[in-house]
Amino acid sequence: MILDLIAQFERASANYAAANGVERDADWFLLKLVEETGELAQVVNRVSGRSRSKGMGEAELHRLLEDETADLLGHVLLFARHHGVALDDAIERKWRFRPDS
């Protein structure tokens, strides 16, 4: 399951990069991960009232929270793939369960 998910994110990312002339080198994978973490933090600040909502209602803010969480997950998986991280093994060691294959 996790390998299929990684492959789907990889295809989407590669297509986006090709369509927009983006070079996905080693730095890019880390920088995108940091960028998406920052975007998620911004939304969390808005949702929690620590930052202005910019006129967005609760539903819109929740949708942004979902979207940015999905972006961060995707970039974590892309980072892991790029660096040859065996996520199944790491999850089993750190979280004490094996993701469904």
Side-chain angles (χ1 to χ4, degrees):
M1 179 179 105
I2 199 163
L3 293 178
D4 291 338
L5 187 59
I6 291 170
Q8 290 173 313
F9 275 105
E10 171 56 28
R11 279 191 300 277
S13 178
N15 289 341
Y16 175 87
N20 293 286
V22 173
E23 180 184 347
R24 298 181 319 148
D25 59 10
D27 289 342
W28 181 87
F29 287 95
L30 178 59
L31 293 172
K32 284 300 288 182
L33 188 56
V34 171
E35 176 185 346
E36 295 303 337
T37 301
E39 290 176 6
L40 181 58
Q42 284 181 323
V43 173
V44 168
N45 278 340
R46 286 192 178 115
V47 167
S48 68
R50 292 182 183 99
S51 181
R52 39 189 193 104
S53 65
K54 293 189 173 182
M56 291 180 270
E58 188 176 323
E60 190 174 3
L61 288 170
H62 186 75
R63 181 168 180 157
L64 279 175
L65 183 67
E66 292 174 338
D67 290 352
E68 294 307 331
T69 300
D71 282 349
L72 183 58
L73 172 63
H75 283 286
V76 165
L77 296 176
L78 290 169
F79 179 87
R81 180 187 177 280
H82 180 77
H83 290 286
V85 172
L87 279 177
D88 289 347
D89 295 339
I91 290 168
E92 188 171 12
R93 278 192 311 274
K94 297 294 289 183
W95 288 87
R96 302 195 187 280
F97 75 89
R98 184 113 186 132
D100 294 334
S101 301

XYZ file of all heavy atoms in Angstrom:
802
model
N 0.810 -1.192 0.000
C 0.000 0.000 0.000
C 0.858 1.262 0.000
O 0.663 2.140 -0.812
C -0.931 -0.015 1.206
C -1.791 1.225 1.285
S -2.906 1.222 2.681
C -2.078 2.391 3.718
N 1.817 1.344 0.910
C 2.629 2.563 0.997
C 3.472 2.755 -0.267
O 3.627 3.878 -0.741
C 3.488 2.596 2.276
C 3.940 4.027 2.559
C 4.666 1.665 2.201
C 4.429 4.242 3.963
N 3.960 1.655 -0.838
C 4.753 1.788 -2.065
C 3.889 2.264 -3.227
O 4.346 3.050 -4.062
C 5.446 0.469 -2.390
C 6.524 0.031 -1.397
C 7.103 -1.318 -1.804
C 7.610 1.081 -1.277
N 2.644 1.815 -3.269
C 1.719 2.295 -4.305
C 1.440 3.786 -4.131
O 1.408 4.535 -5.104
C 0.401 1.520 -4.251
C 0.543 0.071 -4.676
O 1.505 -0.249 -5.398
O -0.310 -0.738 -4.270
N 1.245 4.202 -2.893
C 0.989 5.612 -2.612
C 2.195 6.470 -3.009
O 2.040 7.519 -3.648
C 0.670 5.793 -1.129
C 0.209 7.167 -0.676
C -1.056 7.601 -1.399
C -0.016 7.157 0.840
N 3.380 6.008 -2.667
C 4.603 6.729 -3.045
C 4.694 6.845 -4.564
O 5.009 7.917 -5.097
C 5.849 6.054 -2.457
C 5.872 6.218 -0.936
C 7.125 6.612 -3.087
C 6.932 5.377 -0.238
N 4.402 5.761 -5.277
C 4.471 5.771 -6.740
C 3.472 6.769 -7.328
O 3.782 7.469 -8.304
C 4.219 4.372 -7.290
N 2.280 6.868 -6.734
C 1.286 7.822 -7.227
C 1.748 9.257 -7.012
O 1.613 10.101 -7.903
C -0.053 7.576 -6.533
C -0.721 6.288 -6.968
C -1.956 5.981 -6.147
O -1.939 6.050 -4.925
N -3.035 5.665 -6.826
N 2.301 9.546 -5.830
C 2.836 10.887 -5.585
C 4.000 11.183 -6.527
O 4.134 12.308 -7.016
C 3.270 11.043 -4.127
C 2.163 11.428 -3.192
C 1.610 10.495 -2.327
C 1.669 12.727 -3.163
C 0.590 10.850 -1.459
C 0.653 13.095 -2.299
C 0.106 12.145 -1.443
N 4.839 10.192 -6.774
C 5.980 10.390 -7.670
C 5.502 10.748 -9.073
O 6.022 11.677 -9.697
C 6.860 9.142 -7.695
C 7.952 9.161 -8.741
C 8.903 10.356 -8.660
O 9.112 10.913 -7.560
O 9.443 10.755 -9.708
N 4.524 10.022 -9.585
C 4.002 10.331 -10.930
C 3.440 11.747 -10.990
O 3.715 12.494 -11.928
C 2.937 9.312 -11.336
C 3.495 7.997 -11.863
C 2.422 7.128 -12.503
N 1.354 6.759 -11.580
C 1.406 5.744 -10.717
N 2.496 4.997 -10.641
N 0.380 5.474 -9.931
N 2.647 12.102 -9.987
C 2.052 13.445 -9.982
C 3.124 14.522 -9.903
O 3.064 15.532 -10.605
C 1.075 13.577 -8.805
N 4.128 14.318 -9.070
C 5.198 15.297 -8.905
C 6.051 15.403 -10.167
O 6.404 16.501 -10.596
C 6.073 14.915 -7.705
O 7.142 15.819 -7.562
N 6.380 14.270 -10.750
C 7.180 14.279 -11.980
C 6.430 14.981 -13.110
O 7.029 15.756 -13.866
C 7.546 12.855 -12.377
N 5.134 14.730 -13.218
C 4.321 15.395 -14.246
C 4.291 16.905 -14.021
O 4.430 17.685 -14.961
C 2.899 14.834 -14.259
C 2.832 13.431 -14.814
O 3.732 12.967 -15.506
N 1.761 12.733 -14.489
N 4.109 17.316 -12.755
C 4.088 18.738 -12.420
C 5.438 19.378 -12.763
O 5.489 20.458 -13.374
C 3.782 18.924 -10.927
C 3.870 20.358 -10.488
C 2.777 21.214 -10.591
C 5.059 20.872 -9.973
C 2.870 22.548 -10.206
C 5.162 22.205 -9.576
C 4.062 23.025 -9.699
O 4.162 24.341 -9.324
N 6.513 18.715 -12.390
C 7.852 19.253 -12.645
C 8.105 19.399 -14.143
O 8.621 20.421 -14.595
C 8.907 18.363 -11.996
N 7.726 18.384 -14.903
C 7.929 18.435 -16.357
C 7.107 19.553 -16.991
O 7.594 20.278 -17.862
C 7.566 17.087 -16.976
N 5.881 19.710 -16.548
C 4.996 20.730 -17.123
C 5.434 22.142 -16.765
O 5.134 23.085 -17.502
C 3.558 20.500 -16.644
N 6.169 22.289 -15.654
C 6.543 23.627 -15.176
C 8.044 23.891 -15.206
O 8.503 24.908 -14.680
C 6.002 23.830 -13.759
C 4.499 23.889 -13.760
O 3.919 24.881 -14.176
N 3.848 22.825 -13.333
N 8.814 22.990 -15.809
C 10.253 23.196 -15.937
C 10.987 23.201 -14.598
O 11.968 23.928 -14.442
N 10.521 22.398 -13.662
C 11.133 22.343 -12.325
C 12.138 21.196 -12.275
O 11.826 20.066 -12.650
C 10.045 22.128 -11.239
C 10.665 21.895 -9.881
C 9.086 23.309 -11.216
N 13.345 21.512 -11.817
C 14.368 20.472 -11.634
C 14.276 19.943 -10.202
O 14.447 20.690 -9.240
C 15.770 21.041 -11.866
C 16.851 19.992 -11.696
C 18.243 20.557 -11.829
O 18.384 21.713 -12.288
O 19.185 19.843 -11.459
N 13.970 18.670 -10.087
C 13.824 18.064 -8.762
C 15.150 17.416 -8.352
O 15.313 16.213 -8.438
C 12.692 17.032 -8.770
C 11.340 17.634 -9.102
C 10.216 16.629 -9.097
N 10.601 15.377 -9.702
C 10.123 14.181 -9.342
N 9.228 14.068 -8.399
N 10.518 13.093 -9.959
N 16.067 18.233 -7.876
C 17.348 17.707 -7.407
C 17.248 17.437 -5.908
O 16.198 17.620 -5.293
C 18.493 18.669 -7.734
C 18.319 20.047 -7.131
O 17.412 20.247 -6.287
O 19.098 20.942 -7.497
N 18.336 16.986 -5.294
C 18.327 16.620 -3.877
C 17.889 17.779 -2.999
O 17.122 17.592 -2.040
C 19.704 16.105 -3.457
N 18.340 18.983 -3.305
C 17.939 20.157 -2.522
C 16.438 20.414 -2.634
O 15.790 20.781 -1.659
C 18.685 21.414 -2.984
C 20.151 21.407 -2.598
O 20.533 20.628 -1.711
O 20.901 22.193 -3.206
N 15.895 20.221 -3.813
C 14.476 20.493 -4.039
C 13.604 19.663 -3.106
O 12.645 20.177 -2.516
C 14.105 20.215 -5.497
C 12.669 20.504 -5.806
C 12.140 21.704 -6.176
C 11.576 19.585 -5.762
N 10.777 21.579 -6.374
C 10.414 20.281 -6.125
C 11.473 18.229 -5.467
C 9.156 19.682 -6.193
C 10.223 17.627 -5.526
C 9.084 18.359 -5.887
N 13.936 18.384 -2.944
C 13.106 17.507 -2.108
C 13.072 18.002 -0.661
O 12.017 18.019 -0.031
C 13.592 16.055 -2.182
C 13.256 15.405 -3.486
C 14.181 15.373 -4.518
C 12.010 14.833 -3.695
C 13.876 14.786 -5.732
C 11.687 14.241 -4.912
C 12.620 14.218 -5.928
N 14.186 18.443 -0.153
C 14.221 18.966 1.222
C 13.541 20.329 1.303
O 12.741 20.590 2.211
C 15.657 19.062 1.732
C 15.797 19.643 3.139
C 15.034 18.805 4.167
C 17.257 19.776 3.520
N 13.824 21.202 0.352
C 13.241 22.544 0.391
C 11.720 22.514 0.254
O 11.017 23.287 0.916
C 13.871 23.422 -0.691
C 15.355 23.748 -0.460
C 15.934 24.450 -1.676
C 15.535 24.576 0.800
N 11.199 21.623 -0.577
C 9.749 21.504 -0.692
C 9.140 20.989 0.602
O 8.055 21.424 1.003
C 9.360 20.587 -1.856
C 9.501 21.227 -3.213
C 8.637 22.469 -3.374
C 7.166 22.165 -3.498
N 6.320 23.366 -3.705
N 9.823 20.082 1.260
C 9.352 19.562 2.542
C 9.273 20.687 3.570
O 8.269 20.837 4.280
C 10.287 18.449 3.017
C 9.899 17.641 4.231
C 8.535 16.993 4.079
C 10.958 16.575 4.469
N 10.289 21.519 3.612
C 10.308 22.659 4.531
C 9.223 23.671 4.145
O 8.503 24.187 5.004
C 11.708 23.314 4.557
C 11.689 24.619 5.330
C 12.731 22.342 5.140
N 9.086 23.947 2.864
C 8.071 24.887 2.388
C 6.673 24.428 2.799
O 5.866 25.218 3.317
C 8.144 25.009 0.861
C 7.065 25.881 0.267
C 7.091 25.869 -1.258
O 8.074 25.423 -1.874
O 6.085 26.321 -1.840
N 6.375 23.169 2.567
C 5.043 22.654 2.895
C 4.815 22.617 4.403
O 3.684 22.844 4.861
C 4.831 21.268 2.277
C 4.829 21.262 0.761
C 3.796 22.182 0.122
O 2.776 22.521 0.771
O 3.988 22.571 -1.042
N 5.854 22.374 5.183
C 5.732 22.426 6.643
C 5.348 23.837 7.072
O 4.473 24.029 7.930
C 7.039 21.979 7.319
O 7.350 20.651 6.904
C 6.932 22.022 8.824
N 5.981 24.840 6.473
C 5.658 26.228 6.778
C 4.238 26.586 6.393
O 3.547 27.295 7.133
N 3.778 26.100 5.254
C 2.415 26.387 4.822
C 1.400 25.742 5.765
O 0.374 26.353 6.091
C 2.204 25.927 3.383
C 2.964 26.791 2.389
C 2.850 26.320 0.962
O 2.079 25.361 0.676
O 3.533 26.905 0.096
N 1.693 24.545 6.230
C 0.812 23.903 7.200
C 0.801 24.683 8.513
O -0.262 24.899 9.111
C 1.230 22.451 7.439
C 0.368 21.654 8.425
C -1.092 21.599 7.982
C 0.940 20.261 8.601
N 1.952 25.164 8.935
C 2.029 25.956 10.168
C 1.200 27.235 10.044
O 0.515 27.638 10.998
C 3.483 26.290 10.500
N 1.238 27.874 8.882
C 0.436 29.083 8.668
C -1.054 28.783 8.829
O -1.787 29.549 9.461
C 0.672 29.649 7.270
C 1.978 30.380 7.120
C 2.125 30.927 5.712
O 1.710 30.298 4.735
N 2.713 32.105 5.610
N -1.498 27.687 8.259
C -2.910 27.331 8.350
C -3.281 26.998 9.794
O -4.337 27.410 10.277
C -3.248 26.156 7.405
C -4.670 25.664 7.631
C -3.060 26.570 5.959
N -2.423 26.276 10.488
C -2.698 25.944 11.889
C -2.830 27.223 12.707
O -3.718 27.344 13.559
C -1.613 25.012 12.465
C -1.723 24.895 13.978
C -1.698 23.634 11.819
N -1.984 28.206 12.444
C -2.100 29.493 13.135
C -3.438 30.160 12.846
O -4.056 30.743 13.737
C -0.953 30.424 12.754
C 0.297 30.155 13.546
O 0.252 29.547 14.607
N 1.421 30.603 13.024
N -3.893 30.087 11.612
C -5.188 30.680 11.265
C -6.330 29.938 11.951
O -7.235 30.551 12.515
C -5.388 30.668 9.751
C -4.549 31.694 9.042
C -4.961 31.869 7.594
N -4.123 32.895 7.016
C -3.244 32.682 6.041
N -3.109 31.495 5.508
N -2.507 33.669 5.594
N -6.294 28.619 11.892
C -7.351 27.802 12.492
C -7.432 28.032 13.997
O -8.523 28.100 14.569
C -7.122 26.303 12.178
C -8.008 25.408 13.026
C -7.347 26.030 10.694
N -6.284 28.195 14.638
C -6.252 28.345 16.101
C -6.454 29.792 16.561
O -6.446 30.061 17.757
C -4.926 27.822 16.642
O -3.855 28.655 16.221
N -6.596 30.710 15.615
C -6.804 32.111 15.966
C -5.527 32.863 16.286
O -5.563 33.985 16.772
N -4.368 32.285 16.005
C -3.084 32.939 16.260
C -2.624 33.798 15.087
O -1.563 34.403 15.142
C -2.019 31.887 16.573
C -2.247 31.187 17.892
C -1.135 30.186 18.171
N -1.386 29.469 19.385
C -1.904 28.253 19.439
N -2.223 27.611 18.334
N -2.107 27.656 20.595
N -3.418 33.787 14.031
C -3.116 34.566 12.840
C -4.456 34.968 12.231
O -5.479 34.323 12.483
C -2.303 33.714 11.865
O -1.979 34.433 10.709
N -4.463 36.015 11.449
C -5.741 36.447 10.881
C -6.251 35.428 9.860
O -5.474 34.787 9.156
C -5.662 37.838 10.274
C -4.457 38.173 9.566
C -4.359 39.640 9.175
N -3.271 39.672 8.237
C -3.419 39.785 6.922
N -4.600 39.984 6.408
N -2.385 39.740 6.126
N -7.532 35.310 9.799
C -8.161 34.306 8.932
C -8.285 34.771 7.485
O -8.655 33.983 6.625
C -9.552 33.950 9.462
O -10.401 35.079 9.394
N -7.977 36.038 7.231
C -8.073 36.625 5.888
C -9.470 36.446 5.301
O -9.627 36.161 4.117
C -7.010 36.019 4.964
C -5.596 36.389 5.345
C -4.606 35.946 4.292
C -3.226 36.478 4.631
N -2.247 36.122 3.609
N -10.474 36.564 6.176
C -11.852 36.490 5.726
C -12.370 35.087 5.458
O -13.487 34.928 4.979
N -11.575 34.075 5.740
C -11.999 32.702 5.500
C -12.822 32.203 6.678
O -12.496 32.455 7.831
C -10.794 31.789 5.293
C -10.059 32.047 3.996
S -8.654 30.957 3.788
C -7.386 31.929 4.576
N -13.863 31.453 6.362
C -14.691 30.839 7.391
C -14.088 29.535 7.870
O -13.068 29.054 7.347
N -14.747 28.933 8.838
C -14.261 27.696 9.442
C -14.125 26.567 8.419
O -13.134 25.843 8.420
C -15.211 27.280 10.568
C -14.710 26.115 11.386
C -15.627 25.788 12.543
O -16.180 26.724 13.148
O -15.801 24.589 12.824
N -15.095 26.427 7.542
C -15.056 25.354 6.539
C -13.878 25.529 5.576
O -13.188 24.563 5.236
C -16.369 25.294 5.770
N -13.667 26.768 5.143
C -12.557 27.035 4.220
C -11.209 26.802 4.900
O -10.286 26.243 4.309
C -12.648 28.456 3.680
C -11.688 28.728 2.545
C -11.885 30.097 1.921
O -12.729 30.878 2.384
O -11.161 30.386 0.950
N -11.102 27.224 6.146
C -9.865 26.996 6.893
C -9.612 25.509 7.095
O -8.473 25.043 6.966
C -9.908 27.715 8.242
C -9.795 29.234 8.185
C -10.094 29.842 9.552
C -8.419 29.657 7.687
N -10.662 24.761 7.374
C -10.493 23.311 7.556
C -10.054 22.653 6.244
O -9.204 21.762 6.245
C -11.773 22.663 8.078
C -11.590 21.229 8.417
N -10.925 20.804 9.546
C -11.937 20.103 7.754
C -10.884 19.496 9.564
N -11.494 19.044 8.482
N -10.619 23.122 5.150
C -10.211 22.576 3.850
C -8.730 22.881 3.577
O -7.994 22.036 3.079
C -11.080 23.131 2.738
C -10.671 22.537 1.408
C -11.634 22.797 0.334
N -11.124 22.177 -0.885
C -11.870 21.840 -1.875
N -13.158 22.016 -1.835
N -11.329 21.311 -2.950
N -8.293 24.089 3.900
C -6.869 24.431 3.749
C -5.996 23.539 4.630
O -4.919 23.111 4.208
C -6.629 25.896 4.101
C -6.934 26.923 3.039
C -6.753 28.329 3.595
C -6.066 26.722 1.814
N -6.464 23.265 5.844
C -5.734 22.374 6.738
C -5.594 20.991 6.102
O -4.511 20.399 6.118
C -6.452 22.289 8.083
C -5.790 21.441 9.163
C -4.482 22.079 9.608
C -6.728 21.274 10.346
N -6.670 20.494 5.518
C -6.621 19.197 4.835
C -5.649 19.238 3.653
O -4.818 18.334 3.481
C -8.014 18.803 4.336
C -8.987 18.482 5.429
C -10.394 18.241 4.908
O -10.745 18.709 3.793
O -11.161 17.600 5.641
N -5.757 20.296 2.842
C -4.920 20.412 1.643
C -3.437 20.483 1.995
O -2.600 19.817 1.371
C -5.317 21.640 0.826
C -6.673 21.496 0.148
O -7.250 20.393 0.169
O -7.151 22.515 -0.398
N -3.100 21.293 2.980
C -1.690 21.443 3.349
C -1.150 20.186 4.025
O 0.023 19.844 3.867
C -1.480 22.676 4.225
C -1.749 23.991 3.505
C -0.983 24.164 2.203
O 0.136 23.614 2.053
O -1.498 24.861 1.311
N -2.006 19.477 4.757
C -1.592 18.201 5.340
C -1.298 17.191 4.229
O -0.298 16.464 4.282
C -2.666 17.664 6.300
O -2.878 18.618 7.347
C -2.257 16.343 6.917
N -2.146 17.169 3.202
C -1.918 16.282 2.061
C -0.626 16.646 1.337
O 0.145 15.754 0.930
C -3.103 16.331 1.093
N -0.367 17.942 1.177
C 0.884 18.379 0.539
C 2.094 17.914 1.340
O 3.068 17.414 0.775
C 0.933 19.903 0.415
C 0.098 20.435 -0.734
O -0.358 19.636 -1.577
O -0.088 21.664 -0.787
N 2.034 18.084 2.648
C 3.162 17.689 3.490
C 3.374 16.176 3.421
O 4.506 15.718 3.263
C 2.951 18.138 4.933
C 4.099 17.850 5.895
C 5.402 18.493 5.424
C 3.743 18.330 7.291
N 2.303 15.403 3.495
C 2.427 13.950 3.376
C 3.077 13.577 2.050
O 4.004 12.758 2.005
C 1.057 13.284 3.493
C 1.033 11.779 3.202
C 1.876 11.008 4.212
C -0.390 11.270 3.164
N 2.603 14.179 0.976
C 3.176 13.879 -0.339
C 4.661 14.167 -0.396
O 5.448 13.363 -0.901
N 5.069 15.284 0.158
C 6.489 15.645 0.090
C 7.340 14.820 1.052
O 8.518 14.566 0.769
C 6.675 17.150 0.249
C 6.325 17.861 -1.018
N 7.140 17.846 -2.127
C 5.215 18.539 -1.377
C 6.564 18.505 -3.101
N 5.386 18.935 -2.670
N 6.769 14.360 2.150
C 7.497 13.414 3.009
C 7.748 12.121 2.224
O 8.868 11.584 2.226
C 6.719 13.113 4.309
C 7.276 11.888 5.024
C 6.751 14.314 5.243
N 6.737 11.642 1.537
C 6.891 10.407 0.765
C 7.871 10.577 -0.391
O 8.684 9.690 -0.667
C 5.528 9.921 0.267
C 4.537 9.516 1.362
C 3.192 9.152 0.755
C 5.087 8.387 2.217
N 7.816 11.726 -1.071
C 8.760 11.985 -2.161
C 10.195 12.069 -1.634
O 11.130 11.548 -2.253
C 8.393 13.281 -2.888
C 7.112 13.245 -3.721
C 6.733 14.649 -4.163
C 7.268 12.306 -4.905
N 10.372 12.735 -0.499
C 11.693 12.844 0.130
C 12.223 11.451 0.469
O 13.373 11.120 0.179
C 11.588 13.708 1.391
C 12.882 13.865 2.134
C 13.774 14.868 1.796
C 13.209 13.014 3.182
C 14.971 15.010 2.474
C 14.405 13.144 3.866
C 15.292 14.150 3.513
N 11.377 10.629 1.069
C 11.786 9.274 1.437
C 12.174 8.468 0.199
O 13.205 7.772 0.201
C 10.663 8.576 2.197
N 11.381 8.564 -0.855
C 11.689 7.822 -2.083
C 13.018 8.284 -2.672
O 13.857 7.472 -3.051
C 10.567 8.026 -3.101
C 10.812 7.289 -4.407
C 9.745 7.657 -5.451
N 10.025 7.002 -6.699
C 10.917 7.417 -7.590
N 11.619 8.510 -7.368
N 11.099 6.754 -8.718
N 13.203 9.580 -2.747
C 14.425 10.121 -3.335
C 15.674 9.649 -2.591
O 16.709 9.406 -3.195
C 14.378 11.648 -3.358
C 15.600 12.268 -3.938
N 15.830 12.310 -5.300
C 16.677 12.845 -3.356
C 17.003 12.883 -5.526
N 17.527 13.226 -4.360
N 15.565 9.525 -1.277
C 16.715 9.146 -0.463
C 16.773 7.648 -0.141
O 17.614 7.226 0.668
C 16.731 9.968 0.829
C 17.058 11.407 0.572
N 18.328 11.852 0.265
C 16.262 12.502 0.524
C 18.314 13.144 0.064
N 17.063 13.571 0.210
N 15.910 6.870 -0.760
C 15.945 5.420 -0.571
C 15.574 4.971 0.840
O 16.067 3.957 1.320
N 14.706 5.736 1.496
C 14.275 5.389 2.846
C 13.247 4.259 2.763
O 12.255 4.368 2.047
C 13.650 6.622 3.553
C 13.033 6.236 4.879
C 14.701 7.711 3.723
N 13.483 3.190 3.498
C 12.547 2.069 3.567
C 11.499 2.400 4.630
O 11.651 2.075 5.807
C 13.278 0.777 3.893
N 10.456 3.082 4.227
C 9.457 3.551 5.183
C 8.763 2.413 5.915
O 8.472 2.534 7.105
C 8.426 4.428 4.490
C 8.841 5.868 4.255
C 7.754 6.613 3.494
C 9.143 6.571 5.553
N 8.475 1.312 5.223
C 7.841 0.174 5.895
C 8.665 -0.266 7.099
O 8.144 -0.463 8.191
C 7.667 -1.005 4.937
C 6.594 -0.768 3.888
O 5.821 0.195 4.032
O 6.528 -1.561 2.939
N 9.968 -0.405 6.871
C 10.861 -0.851 7.953
C 10.950 0.193 9.056
O 10.921 -0.137 10.243
C 12.260 -1.138 7.408
C 12.282 -2.309 6.427
O 11.345 -3.141 6.460
O 13.227 -2.370 5.619
N 11.060 1.459 8.669
C 11.185 2.530 9.662
C 9.912 2.661 10.491
O 9.977 2.861 11.709
C 11.512 3.852 8.969
N 8.765 2.540 9.841
C 7.500 2.612 10.572
C 7.397 1.456 11.557
O 6.993 1.637 12.707
C 6.306 2.639 9.602
C 6.281 3.979 8.854
C 4.988 2.392 10.340
C 5.337 4.021 7.677
N 7.808 0.295 11.127
C 7.770 -0.865 12.024
C 8.680 -0.653 13.237
O 8.307 -0.954 14.369
C 8.166 -2.133 11.269
C 7.973 -3.394 12.070
C 8.163 -4.662 11.257
O 8.669 -4.600 10.116
O 7.802 -5.732 11.777
N 9.870 -0.092 13.009
C 10.795 0.166 14.126
C 10.274 1.256 15.057
O 10.293 1.122 16.270
C 12.164 0.601 13.594
C 13.074 -0.501 13.164
C 14.506 -0.009 12.940
N 14.614 1.186 12.119
C 14.664 1.198 10.788
N 14.598 0.069 10.112
N 14.788 2.340 10.132
N 9.818 2.355 14.466
C 9.458 3.529 15.266
C 8.030 3.490 15.811
O 7.777 3.977 16.902
C 9.646 4.804 14.433
C 11.087 5.067 14.011
C 11.977 5.349 15.194
C 11.667 6.682 15.791
N 12.519 7.082 16.896
N 7.099 2.945 15.053
C 5.685 2.970 15.441
C 5.182 1.587 15.866
O 4.045 1.458 16.302
C 4.839 3.506 14.287
C 5.037 4.975 14.088
C 6.015 5.571 13.330
C 4.271 6.026 14.652
N 5.889 6.933 13.384
C 4.825 7.243 14.201
C 3.161 6.065 15.481
C 4.299 8.470 14.558
C 2.649 7.302 15.844
C 3.221 8.486 15.375
N 6.014 0.591 15.674
C 5.729 -0.785 16.104
C 4.526 -1.423 15.412
O 3.765 -2.167 16.002
C 5.575 -0.858 17.608
C 6.811 -0.349 18.335
C 6.818 -0.740 19.777
N 7.920 -0.117 20.500
C 9.186 -0.532 20.491
N 9.523 -1.574 19.780
N 10.113 0.102 21.189
N 4.340 -1.061 14.150
C 3.420 -1.801 13.293
C 3.942 -1.773 11.874
O 4.781 -0.923 11.531
C 1.988 -1.215 13.357
C 1.799 0.077 12.610
C 1.439 0.073 11.263
C 1.967 1.295 13.246
C 1.252 1.273 10.584
C 1.773 2.490 12.568
C 1.418 2.477 11.236
N 3.532 -2.716 11.083
C 3.961 -2.794 9.693
C 2.792 -2.336 8.816
O 1.712 -2.910 8.893
C 4.349 -4.224 9.343
C 4.902 -4.368 7.943
C 6.352 -4.755 8.001
N 6.909 -4.750 6.663
C 8.039 -4.158 6.366
N 8.734 -3.556 7.305
N 8.516 -4.173 5.159
N 2.999 -1.303 7.997
C 1.914 -0.860 7.109
C 1.502 -1.998 6.177
O 2.324 -2.825 5.786
C 2.542 0.284 6.309
C 3.740 0.692 7.073
C 4.201 -0.516 7.822
N 0.222 -2.033 5.848
C -0.257 -3.048 4.920
C 0.461 -2.906 3.595
O 0.669 -1.811 3.106
C -1.762 -2.894 4.690
C -2.571 -3.178 5.942
O -2.082 -3.926 6.802
O -3.695 -2.647 6.032
N 0.846 -4.025 3.045
C 1.585 -4.011 1.773
C 0.648 -3.872 0.598
O -0.476 -4.188 0.645
C 2.389 -5.281 1.613
O 3.298 -5.389 2.688
